Amino acid sequence: MMDVHSLFRLDGRVALVTGSSQGLGKMLSRGLASAGARVVLNGRDPKKLERAVEEFLSEGYDACGYAFDITKRHEIDTAVERIESEIGPIDILVNNAGIQRRAPLHEVTDEIWDEVLATNLTGAFLVTRKVARGMIQRQRGKVIFICSLMSELGRPTTGPYAAAKGGVRMLMGSMCVEWAQYNIQVNGIGPGYFITEMTKSLAEDPSFNDWLINRTPARRWGDPKELVGALLLLASDAGNFINGQIIYVDGGILAAL
Ligand code: GCO
Ligand code: CA
């Protein structure tokens, strides 16, 4: 009889989740902690991060927090080195941090473009490049990028975000083809529509809500908890031969015209 339960366990593994003091990142971190991982939460705002760590500790999870901005190279290097010396080598990296700045492309300012690409694409690359150096040494690691439906499709006013998330899809695949030989599995999760700080304004707009419900074969928004299963598959030994894939958790949106 196979022990399939332990296949998905993460006991003794260190997981860093960027942008995890709120939103999907916080829920993903809860899922990793529930499977036994030591979770390292991250955010730019030390106070918000501290509140999230307190919450995790009060729920009995093994959690800590390191505040750093993933758009700042020196902050990343310092933080990753501190985490690896104070907590332990990072076994699992979840590149979740991301921002959304909606505007029609002809009205997108240089600042909007630069901020979205710096956070959603370049930041994810910088963190992963730093963490992967250790994973290559150790010949073991799990890297999961939080992609998006917009790694595949666009929607008016989300051009910079879609460009970044499309880039994330190809960056993830490029890392897979270079690092799979070091027993590093690089994959992605593509969330559909979940109500978070990023999408609250959309959910509160009746016309958008009607459009989304009709566009989704499951006829509903996702519950952030529904991302945890795909995450544990990719973060655990259950996914040791899954490389370069994006698992879309979208209620069927990408399957529908
Ligand atoms: C939007 C949303 C989307 C979602 C998600 C979908 O403006 O349409 O922000 O981009 O956040 O990325 O996968
Ligand atoms: Ca695919």
Side-chain angles (χ1 to χ4, degrees), residues 152 169 244-248:
E152 307 280 350
R169 175 169 171 247
Q245 296 302 309
I246 299 178
I247 301 178
Y248 285 96

Side-chain angles (χ1 to χ4, degrees), residues 191-257:
Y193 282 85
F194 294 80
I195 299 179
T196 64
E197 290 78 358
M198 185 186 281
T199 57
K200 207 167 40 238
S201 60
L202 300 175
E204 287 159 0
D205 171 353
S207 61
F208 182 92
N209 196 56
D210 288 347
W211 171 81
L212 191 269
I213 299 300
N214 287 305
R215 184 68 181 77
T216 308
R219 298 286 181 264
R220 66 176 175 85
W221 290 75
D223 177 337
K225 286 191 187 68
E226 292 175 306
L227 289 164
V228 171
L231 175 68
L232 292 181
L233 170 63
L234 296 177
S236 68
D237 290 341
N240 283 351
F241 201 52
I242 300 175
N243 298 75
Q245 296 302 309
I246 299 178
I247 301 178
Y248 285 96
V249 185
D250 68 352
I253 289 179
L254 281 181
L257 259 182

Side-chain angles (χ1 to χ4, degrees), residues 158-177:
T158 60
Y161 184 95
K165 290 297 189 179
V168 164
R169 175 169 171 247
M170 291 313 298
L171 175 63
M172 179 277 288
S174 303
M175 289 174 171
C176 157
V177 301

Side-chain angles (χ1 to χ4, degrees), residues 98-101 113 116-117 120 146-151 157-167 198:
I99 58 172
Q100 176 63 284
R101 297 279 184 279
W113 178 267
V116 172
L117 272 291
N120 296 11
I146 302 306
C147 303
S148 164
L149 285 177
M150 298 187 167
S151 299
T157 75
T158 60
Y161 184 95
K165 290 297 189 179
M198 185 186 281

